[in-house]
Amino acid sequence: MPSHAASGVAILTGMDAVNDWLLTWGDHLWTWIVLPVVVVLGLYFTVRSGVVQFRLIPEMFRTLTDKTPQTADGKPQSVSAFQAFTISAASRVGVGNIAGVGTAIAVGGPGAVFWMWVMAFVGGASSFIESSLAQLFKTRDRGSFRGGPAYYMQRGLGARWLGILFAVILIVCFPFAFSSLQANTISATISSSVGGDLPWLPWVIGAGIALLTGLVVFGGVRRIASVTQVLVPIMALAYLVLGMIVVALHLDRIGPVFAEIFTSAWGFNEVVGAAFGYIVLTGVKRGMFSNEAGLGSAPNAGASAAVTHPVKQGLVQTLGVYFDTFLVCSVTAFIILVSVPDLAGASRGIDLTQGALVDTLGEWSNIALSIIIFMLAFSSILGNYYYGESNIEFISTNRTVLTGYRVLVVAAVLGGSVVGADLVWNFADGVMGLMALTNLIAIALLSGIAFRLLKDYTEQRRAGLDPVFTRERLPGVRGIECWEDELTVTGPIDLPVRARQAAKHRDHLHNRR
């Protein structure tokens, strides 16, 4: 018996050592390599694109509601621009928007919120580049489209090995590790709301989440899109309403909170004694984890949309970055900061947000937050699954492999509901850093093509056209599959309209000469 006890202690000690190593390694990777590269490239893309993430904000909303191009028989070619937006938002907007922001504020003070906003703005340019490239180099997939970093690494850079490496990293990180953690959060939140120590409850919750996940993911991308386009707006609206109620009850705190955010961002008013550099790193890191700009995850959803020009989805996915940070994360920040004036000794993560809500609105808000967290986390599981599916099909188109992947995702959701999360979080954070580096190198090398796409788009808009792209508009670029001619982009039903637009464009160019 003592030998068994000693073995158990040795295993726990070994796991703690691995966890500590992963935490240290991940922090060094993000602090000294990933974050500087993210910031430098984000600024470069911002300057080279003419601040596209600000300049074309009206276009982002216009393209979000574009009609889906049709095939010859009048059916949608794939999911719409809005559906692709909700798939990516489903992955972006997860428990990190509640727990992650709470941790950032507890650790870095209110100033961390300012740097999250800055990261969202700078990262918007990176998001535009990666999603435009994903659209350009997408491929057909059983009545829809798929694509992402792995695809533009192979088609744009001619480096399939790099694409496979990226695909493997993403599959490990998102559909398995991160989906397990989303399920763990759902289980912990519901168990906390129910109360009592019921060892069987996590298993019941996990089985329910796994069943729901299986029903959706075995239905394919269209079913995922149909679910997320309902869940994402509902969860965002519900959480926004809660936040507005809390803020309305503390109107006198709005001015001081804004002042705290901006003054603390520069180290003048550190609530927890954090140095300036630590405040910046905390805000930037949490912001990037939340909105995923430049990580290479959202382009997998962006490539699935049927649009008439690759830039349209680049703009839509940039709007997704803003939706995630400026709306959802900001709501969390204000819930906390107007309700908890003194952050000294405050809890971290989701406990801080829950405590702020309950202190202001009462116990009923804890139940409401549990429901919102379920929708946030479940939609993230679906978004994460789709990212993995797109990359599984990049490696192998064997249907048996895809079925096995779906089964493993459902199993990971069940397992994540009943096991501890620290080790998986730290492992996933480190792997996510490697994923970001791989993608950032690729989009830096291919960014010239994205800038040419942007120029083509803006020229057509200046001519009064609804931009349409065909592969002849990028001579010398190889690997483009889905943009061979106008017929494949818009469908025959639109050809008379496009003929009139083309004539208008020719007249515009003639007048300029």
Side-chain angles (χ1 to χ4, degrees), residues 71 77-78 135-147 151 155 303-304 393 397 480-490:
T71 58
Q77 286 190 11
S78 184
Q135 265 289 321
L136 179 66
F137 292 108
K138 67 185 180 182
T139 185
R140 290 182 176 82
D141 177 34
R142 300 186 301 279
S144 60
F145 302 108
R146 56 182 165 88
Y151 295 82
R155 294 171 176 270
S304 67
E393 293 187 335
T397 56
I480 301 174
E481 175 188 314
C482 295
W483 306 90
E484 293 91 343
D485 53 56
E486 200 162 284
L487 183 66
T488 63
V489 177
T490 60

Side-chain angles (χ1 to χ4, degrees), residues 65-91:
T65 57
D66 262 9
K67 293 182 179 179
T68 308
Q70 298 180 335
T71 58
D73 57 1
K75 295 180 180 179
Q77 286 190 11
S78 184
V79 300
S80 67
F82 178 73
Q83 287 176 321
F85 169 84
T86 60
I87 291 174
S88 61
S91 178

Side-chain angles (χ1 to χ4, degrees), residues 333-474:
F334 278 91
I335 287 174
I336 294 169
L337 293 174
V338 301
S339 306
V340 188
D342 185 8
L343 291 170
S347 303
R348 295 188 182 186
I350 203 165
D351 291 339
L352 181 55
T353 311
Q354 283 180 313
L357 279 174
V358 171
D359 288 346
T360 302
L361 302 178
E363 287 296 332
W364 70 269
S365 62
N366 197 22
I367 298 175
L369 185 61
S370 297
I371 296 172
I372 291 171
I373 287 173
F374 170 79
M375 290 193 290
L376 284 166
F378 183 65
S379 63
S380 288
I381 289 171
L382 299 184
N384 293 344
Y385 162 81
Y386 176 72
Y387 291 169
E389 178 184 290
S390 181
N391 284 272
I392 283 286
E393 293 187 335
F394 175 80
I395 298 172
S396 173
T397 56
N398 188 308
R399 300 296 296 172
T400 303
V401 173
L402 180 59
T403 301
Y405 162 71
R406 288 171 172 170
V407 171
L408 288 175
V409 167
V410 174
V413 168
L414 175 60
S417 302
V418 297
V419 300
D422 285 348
L423 184 64
V424 182
W425 259 122
N426 292 329
F427 172 72
D429 284 351
V431 174
M432 197 172 179
L434 295 175
M435 188 178 98
L437 278 178
T438 308
N439 180 60
L440 289 167
I441 291 170
I443 65 174
L445 294 172
L446 293 169
S447 60
I449 297 175
F451 297 136
R452 291 169 63 185
L453 283 172
L454 177 60
K455 181 181 179 182
D456 177 70
Y457 181 89
T458 54
E459 285 180 349
Q460 291 192 54
R461 285 298 292 153
R462 289 193 190 106
L465 303 175
D466 180 18
V468 169
F469 175 79
T470 56
R471 65 138 12 262
E472 309 84 59
R473 305 182 77 89
L474 279 184

Side-chain angles (χ1 to χ4, degrees), residues 147-158:
Y151 295 82
Y152 56 66
M153 288 170 191
Q154 174 180 328
R155 294 171 176 270
L157 295 177

Side-chain angles (χ1 to χ4, degrees), residues 255-307:
V257 162
F258 269 108
E260 287 177 34
I261 289 173
F262 285 98
T263 56
S264 297
W266 306 98
F268 301 143
N269 261 341
E270 300 91 338
V271 174
V272 293
F276 168 68
Y278 192 64
I279 295 174
V280 176
L281 287 173
T282 301
V284 172
K285 185 175 181 180
R286 292 297 174 183
M288 188 172 185
F289 279 175
S290 174
N291 60 51
E292 301 178 17
L295 285 179
S297 49
N300 293 277
S304 67
V307 292

Side-chain angles (χ1 to χ4, degrees), residues 95-181:
V95 295
N97 296 80
I98 300 176
V101 174
T103 298
I105 292 174
V107 174
V113 178
F114 173 81
W115 294 108
M116 289 177 64
W117 291 341
V118 171
M119 188 65 233
F121 180 76
V122 173
S126 302
S127 182
F128 170 80
I129 297 294
E130 62 182 0
S131 291
S132 296
L133 290 171
Q135 265 289 321
L136 179 66
F137 292 108
K138 67 185 180 182
T139 185
R140 290 182 176 82
D141 177 34
R142 300 186 301 279
S144 60
F145 302 108
R146 56 182 165 88
Y151 295 82
Y152 56 66
M153 288 170 191
Q154 174 180 328
R155 294 171 176 270
L157 295 177
R160 178 169 173 79
W161 67 269
L162 187 62
I164 292 176
L165 174 64
F166 178 87
V168 170
I169 294 173
L170 183 144
I171 291 166
V172 171
C173 191
F174 273 80
F176 293 139
F178 282 176
S179 290
S180 296
L181 293 166

